[in-house]
Each structure stands twice: as C-alpha cells, then as structure tokens.
Amino acid sequence: MKFLCRMQVQFPESMSAEEVAQKQAQEKEYSQALQRSGEFEAIYRVVGKYANVSIFDVESNDRLHEILSGFPMFPYMSIETTPLSKHPNSIR
C-alpha cells in the first residue's frame, strides 16, 4: 500500500539548539534505515518550510502508523496522510 505523507515540524520555542540537533540526528538515522528497507520510498523537501513530502510503501495502515509514530520528531510533527493507488494512465 502506497501513501503520500506531508510532514511539517514545529519544535517548541523552549527546546534548546542542542536538543533540536539531537532529534535531527536521530531522525536522520531512523529515516535512512527505513529507506534502506524499502518501506520509505522517497522524501522531498518542501521549499521554504521545515516540511517534507514522503512516499511510503507498506503492508498496512497499522504499519504506516507504527513507522510514523516511531519518528523521533513525531511529537513535534503535523502529518497529513493520503492513500495512493496506481493511475490508469501511468506507464510505470
């Protein structure tokens, strides 16, 4: 099952620069492991925002929820999820 997820991050103003850097490092490690596994198919930065658009290919809604809630930045994210299906005009 493919999903498009738009994720926007908003850290609390009270969070120190060191805490933010730590979360960013953890996030990078977690997301790259998911990319290597094939479940996290693609990630694109949204220009001008601390946000991304990502494509996931997972076995179930529950697995997607498990992945998303596992992100170290999850408590600071706003996530919009859209299920995808193949378009009949697609040549891929």
Side-chain angles (χ1 to χ4, degrees):
M1 301 174 71
K2 290 199 186 238
F3 294 90
L4 171 73
C5 296
R6 181 184 171 105
M7 298 179 239
Q8 180 137 4
V9 179
Q10 179 67 49
F11 289 116
E13 290 182 22
S14 62
M15 187 176 274
S16 71
E18 293 81 20
E19 289 173 301
V20 169
Q22 181 182 13
K23 290 291 183 194
Q24 290 169 328
Q26 293 168 342
E27 190 85 1
K28 182 176 183 177
E29 184 178 325
Y30 181 76
S31 69
Q32 288 182 350
L34 287 168
Q35 289 173 66
R36 284 189 214 73
S37 80
E39 290 181 300
F40 194 170
E41 226 174 66
I43 182 170
Y44 301 94
R45 174 169 287 164
V46 176
V47 176
K49 297 186 179 208
Y50 195 1
N52 72 73
V53 176
S54 298
I55 305 288
F56 292 88
D57 191 0
V58 294
E59 64 186 32
S60 67
N61 294 335
D62 290 335
R63 177 61 183 143
L64 180 63
H65 181 74
E66 181 181 336
I67 287 171
L68 296 177
S69 61
F71 276 105
M73 291 186 198
F74 180 75
Y76 316 106
M77 286 181 178
S78 172
I79 304 173
E80 187 178 308
T81 304
T82 305
L84 301 172
S85 63
K86 187 174 180 174
H87 195 284
N89 293 346
S90 175
I91 60 170
R92 292 187 177 89

